[in-house]
Amino acid sequence: MKLLRSLASICLLAAAALSVPTQEKRVHHQADLSDRAHDDSYGFQYDHEAFLGKEEAKTFDQLTPEESKDKLAMIVVRIDTDKDGYISHAELHHWIKHRQRRYIEENVNKHWKDYDKNQDGKIGWEEYKNTTYGFYLDEEFDDVEDKATYRSMLTRDERRFKTADRDGDGIATREEFTAFLHPEEFDYMKDLVVQETVEDIDKNGDGKIDINEYIGDMFSLESGEREPDWVQTERKHFHEFRDANKDGYLHNAEVAHWVLPGDVDHADNEAKHLIHETDTDKDGLLTLSELLDNSDYIITSTITDFGGMRVDEHDEL
């Protein structure tokens, strides 16, 4: 069975981090299904993290073949909400969206414990600032080699915190703190996402991105090195697609179109992709047998997200 035969190579697949150009990471697809590039020719890590969830995907390599088989079966039972023995597109789409939400919730919970020092159920800007920068603030960044960078980080964090703090009281509720950590998830934070992206890439500080800054953000040409084909493709994309008004620069609206692709439902696309690749009898439905027989797409997919492989009885869909 492919599942059993492929387990020996999972550690290598997980450890061999795929080289993803920076521009891929700049694009915000709601709650990210994966940090990997979605290219099956390089492997199925993207699909793996989408099916399982990011965190559980990281621990799946520690399971024995029998344990992995049992875990996958438990996940399939949970995805099959109508208990008819089949997984429909709607059920798979719902599961992947659930894994997205769960990842954000777990990430916020993890940070919440670090910053809510007085345990009052809220995080004030001073709490966050003192926890993150406290030591350096006392020394006025004297012990930091790049003082300007740390001051810039502090200023940027404060601006983001205040933007997330909708009522302006200097204290973040859990929802506001989620907006602070995951601004791409909130419409009222999207202008800030664009602003931060421009600031990151705009090296000459003119408030817009030229072709050299765009390419420089994702690739640095070494002496004597030939520019890869994918970089040449990105140059073409810049001129033909990204730079909509053809003035040679990316302005905020054009950057927004690039990094915030709008209403594209990547969970829906991933569900369709997984069904296409694993639905052996082409009836539009998946069975446990089909998933096991095509497990390359699952054990290296977002349905199981190595972290998402943990099946928690209290993890309600």
Side-chain angles (χ1 to χ4, degrees), residues 128-162:
Y128 176 84
K129 181 179 69 172
N130 291 335
T131 301
T132 305
Y133 300 98
F135 172 78
Y136 301 112
L137 289 173
D138 291 341
E139 303 295 329
E140 294 190 359
F141 299 102
D142 286 342
D143 291 341
V144 179
E145 187 171 326
D146 189 350
K147 297 181 178 63
T149 296
Y150 272 76
R151 290 193 181 101
S152 175
M153 289 169 57
L154 174 59
T155 299
R156 181 169 169 145
D157 273 355
E158 183 173 14
R159 180 182 64 192
R160 185 190 282 198
F161 191 97
K162 289 181 176 179

Side-chain angles (χ1 to χ4, degrees), residues 205-273:
D206 64 356
K208 53 194 177 185
I209 300 170
D210 61 36
I211 182 61
N212 292 326
E213 291 167 332
Y214 177 79
I215 296 297
D217 181 59
M218 64 184 82
F219 177 76
S220 179
L221 188 66
E222 301 293 335
S223 178
E225 184 181 8
R226 177 183 172 276
E227 188 171 88
D229 290 342
W230 69 263
V231 175
Q232 296 177 31
T233 298
E234 279 303 321
R235 289 186 183 278
K236 183 177 180 181
H237 286 173
F238 179 95
H239 293 296
E240 295 185 4
F241 305 113
R242 311 266 189 248
D243 179 18
N245 66 1
K246 309 304 179 189
D247 68 347
Y249 299 95
L250 300 188
H251 301 273
N252 281 25
E254 292 163 324
V255 171
H257 186 69
W258 165 34
V259 302
L260 298 169
D263 295 329
V264 177
D265 187 340
H266 293 272
D268 178 65
N269 289 342
E270 176 64 8
K272 291 175 180 175
H273 172 69

